C-alpha cells in the first residue's frame, strides 16, 4: 500500500487551502478546518433513480454526522474521475478502474468495500440462438464482430483481454472482422440485433437486464465468464480532514448492523442498492486491477512496438507485482512463536 506522509504544518496548510473561502468548513484548532458539508460522487446513467436510491442513506448520514451531504452523479467514468480531480466531490462510490485511476493520480484513499454481494464477473454473451462457443472466438479467422466495453470498465473492457484473449495470444486487430467499444446497453443491443456476434458485459448488467427486461434477457446467453473481480469501493479524498474521514468511516462501517427495527430499516435501504453492508478495506484492494490494467497495456504497447509505452507499462506492472508481494507477505499466516517445525 502507498502511504503519503505529511507534516502537521503541511497537512494544516493543505486543509486550509481546500476550505479557503468556503462556509462548508469549521475551524478545529491547530489551523485544521473540518468540513460542514461534502459532495458524494456516484456513477449513474439515471440521475433521478440514483438520487432516489441513495437519498435514504444520505439522510441517515446527515443525521448521524451532522454533515450536509450532496449526491453528485456522473454520467460516465471520465466525468467521475474529473469530479474527484477538481475537488467537486470529497468522497464517492467507485468502480474498479475508475477508483484505481483516482488513487493512481494521488487523489484519494479506499476505506470500505461492498459486503455480501454476489460474485462480480466479466461475461461474454452471444445471441440465444447462436451456436458460437468461447473457443470459436479464438480461431482468429477474421469472420466475427466483437463488442468490448469502454476502456475504463474493468469487467467488460479490460477483463476479457486479461483473462481470456491475452493468455491465448490473440491479436484483437488481426483476429476479428471488427472490434467495437461501447456501453453495456450498446453491446447488448448489438448482440440482440445481430450487429455483433459476441459482446462483453458483466454480471451486474445481466442481472439488471433479467430483472427489468426479461424478454431481452431471453434473447442472449453467456458463453464465457471470468473469475470473480474485486467489488466497488468507497473512497475519500486524501486532503479531507481527519475528523470528517472518521465520520464517514464510522457511519458506513456500522450502517446496516444495528439491532432490531432500526437495523431492519437500514438493511432494507441497502437491499435496494443490492448491498448488505460495508467492510473495512484499503488501497491494496486495487492491486488485482492494477495488475490486469498494466498487463493489458503492456500487451497493447508491444503489439504497437511503442518503446515509450512498453517501458511505462513494464514499470507499472513491476510496481503492481511488488505491491502484491508486499501485501501477500503482510497477510500471510504466521506460525506461533513456540511452534516447532513438522518432523
Amino acid at each position: 500500500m502507498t502511504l503519503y506522509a505529511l507534516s502537521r504544518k503541511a497537512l494544516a496548510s493543505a486543509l486550509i487551502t481546500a476550505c479557503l473561502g468556503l462556509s462548508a468548513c469549521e475551524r478545529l484548532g491547530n489551523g485544521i478546518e473540518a468540513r460542514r458539508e461534502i459532495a458524494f460522487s456516484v456513477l449513474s446513467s439515471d440521475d433521478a433513480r440514483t438520487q432516489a436510491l441513495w437519498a435514504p442513506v444520505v439522510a441517515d448520514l446527515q443525521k448521524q454526522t451532522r454533515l450536509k451531504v450532496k449526491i453528485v452523479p456522473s454520467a460516465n467514468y471520465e466525468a467521475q474521475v474529473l469530479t474527484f480531480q477538481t475537488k467537486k466531490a470529497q468522497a464517492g462510490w467507485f468502480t474498479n478502474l475508475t477508483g484505481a485511476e483516482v488513487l493512481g493520480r494521488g487523489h484519494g484513499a479506499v476505506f470500505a468495500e461492498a459486503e455480501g454481494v454476489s460474485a462480480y464477473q466479466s461475461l461474454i454473451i452471444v445471441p440465444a440462438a447462436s451456436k458460437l462457443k468461447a473457443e470459436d472466438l479464438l480461431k482468429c479467422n477474421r469472420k466475427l464482430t466483437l463488442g468490448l466495453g469502454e476502456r475504463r470498465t474493468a469487467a467488460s473492457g479490460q477483463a476479457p483481454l486479461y483473462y481470456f484473449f491475452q493468455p491465448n495470444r490473440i491479436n484483437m486487430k488481426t483476429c476479428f472482422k471488427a472490434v467495437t467499444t461501447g456501453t453495456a446497453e450498446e453491446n447488448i443491443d448489438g448482440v440482440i440485433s445481430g450487429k455483433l456476434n459476441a459482446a462483453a458485459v458483466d454480471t451486474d448488467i445481466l442481472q439488471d437486464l433479467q430483472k427489468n427486461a426479461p424478454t431481452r434477457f431471453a434473447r442472449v446467453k453467456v458463453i464465457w465468464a471470468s473469475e470473480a473481480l474485486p467489488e466497488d469501493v468507497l473512497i475519500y479524498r486524501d486532503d479531507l480532514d481527519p475528523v470528517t474521514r472518521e465520520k464517514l468511516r464510522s457511519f458506513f462501517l456500522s450502517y446496516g448492523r444495528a439491532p432490531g427495527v432500526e437495523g431492519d430499516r437500514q438493511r432494507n435501504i441497502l437491499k435496494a442498492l443490492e448491498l448488505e453492508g460495508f467492510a473495512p478495506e484499503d488501497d491494496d484492494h486495487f492491486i488485482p486491477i492494477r495488475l490486469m490494467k498494466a498487463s493489458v497495456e503492456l500487451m497493447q504497447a508491444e503489439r504497437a512496438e511503442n518503446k515509450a509505452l512498453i517501458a511505462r507499462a513494464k514499470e507499472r506492472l513491476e510496481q503492481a507485482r511488488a505491491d502484491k508481494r508486499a501485501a501477500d507477505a503482510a497477510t500471510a499466516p504466521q506460525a506461533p512463536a513456540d511452534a516447532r517445525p513438522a518432523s
Side-chain angles (χ1 to χ4, degrees):
M1 183 193 316
T2 303
L3 299 177
Y4 298 90
L6 287 176
S7 67
R8 179 177 295 182
K9 182 177 180 181
L11 176 61
S13 176
L15 293 172
I16 291 171
T17 301
C19 290
L20 189 61
L22 298 178
S23 60
C25 301
E26 61 179 336
R27 190 174 296 278
L28 292 176
N30 293 326
I32 296 178
E33 306 279 348
R35 299 192 68 88
R36 290 195 182 98
E37 59 185 64
I38 64 166
F40 188 84
S41 173
V42 293
L43 185 67
S44 171
S45 58
D46 184 344
D47 290 359
R49 182 169 180 267
T50 298
Q51 294 279 5
L53 287 172
W54 281 93
V57 179
V58 168
D60 288 344
L61 176 59
Q62 291 184 136
K63 182 179 179 181
Q64 179 172 316
T65 65
R66 297 184 181 180
L67 290 167
K68 182 178 180 181
V69 183
K70 176 185 177 182
I71 294 290
V72 181
S74 296
N76 54 54
Y77 300 97
E78 289 81 2
Q80 191 178 27
V81 171
L82 186 62
T83 295
F84 230 61
Q85 184 177 353
T86 56
K87 301 184 180 182
K88 292 180 180 178
Q90 289 72 48
W93 183 239
F94 285 84
T95 60
N96 284 308
L97 285 179
T98 309
E101 184 160 344
V102 164
L103 262 67
R105 296 185 184 186
H107 298 315
V110 175
F111 68 94
E113 68 174 345
E115 187 176 54
V117 296
S118 56
Y120 180 55
Q121 296 169 282
S122 171
L123 307 172
I124 295 179
I125 60 171
V126 298
S130 173
K131 295 182 180 180
L132 274 180
K133 297 179 181 180
E135 53 264 32
D136 294 326
L137 301 178
L138 306 176
K139 290 182 177 179
C140 207
N141 55 17
R142 298 183 64 88
K143 292 182 179 180
L144 302 175
T145 301
L146 174 70
L148 293 177
E150 296 166 310
R151 183 175 63 87
R152 284 201 177 101
T153 56
S156 58
Q158 299 278 325
L161 300 177
Y162 182 67
Y163 289 109
F164 185 58
F165 293 111
Q166 186 175 333
N168 290 287
R169 301 184 180 277
I170 296 299
N171 186 327
M172 307 302 288
K173 291 184 178 180
T174 60
C175 285
F176 289 90
K177 180 179 179 181
V179 177
T180 65
T181 58
T183 64
E185 292 77 12
E186 289 169 343
N187 282 340
I188 291 170
D189 287 342
V191 168
I192 290 175
S193 67
K195 292 180 180 179
L196 296 173
N197 298 110
V201 293
D202 62 60
T203 47
D204 287 353
I205 291 295
L206 209 58
Q207 288 168 2
D208 189 60
L209 186 70
Q210 182 180 24
K211 179 180 178 181
N212 299 310
T215 302
R216 284 168 56 79
F217 174 77
R219 297 180 65 183
V220 302
K221 65 180 180 182
V222 175
I223 62 169
W224 176 83
S226 73
E227 61 182 67
L229 302 173
E231 298 296 340
D232 296 349
V233 292
L234 287 162
I235 296 176
Y236 41 40
R237 280 193 58 88
D238 270 343
D239 56 8
L240 189 61
D241 67 90
V243 172
T244 306
R245 281 190 178 205
E246 182 55 30
K247 285 181 179 180
L248 292 173
R249 193 191 68 83
S250 296
F251 171 80
F252 281 106
L253 294 183
S254 63
Y255 198 69
R257 301 183 188 277
V261 175
E262 177 61 11
D264 291 339
R265 182 188 69 83
Q266 293 176 1
R267 286 184 284 275
N268 284 331
I269 291 171
L270 289 171
K271 187 176 180 180
L273 289 165
E274 299 182 353
L275 299 170
E276 289 186 7
F278 304 94
E281 184 57 299
D282 57 31
D283 295 356
D284 287 348
H285 176 91
F286 286 123
I287 289 176
I289 299 301
R290 289 169 53 210
L291 284 168
M292 178 175 68
K293 187 172 184 288
S295 181
V296 170
E297 287 176 348
L298 179 58
M299 174 191 70
Q300 294 172 337
E302 288 175 340
R303 292 253 166 86
E305 298 182 348
N306 187 315
K307 292 183 179 180
L309 292 181
I310 289 172
R312 189 183 309 166
K314 283 183 175 180
E315 181 179 352
R316 290 175 177 172
L317 185 57
E318 286 306 312
Q319 184 60 59
R321 286 171 174 167
D323 289 345
K324 185 178 187 304
R325 289 193 295 271
D328 289 344
T331 56
Q334 301 294 315
D338 58 351
R340 296 179 180 179
S343 56

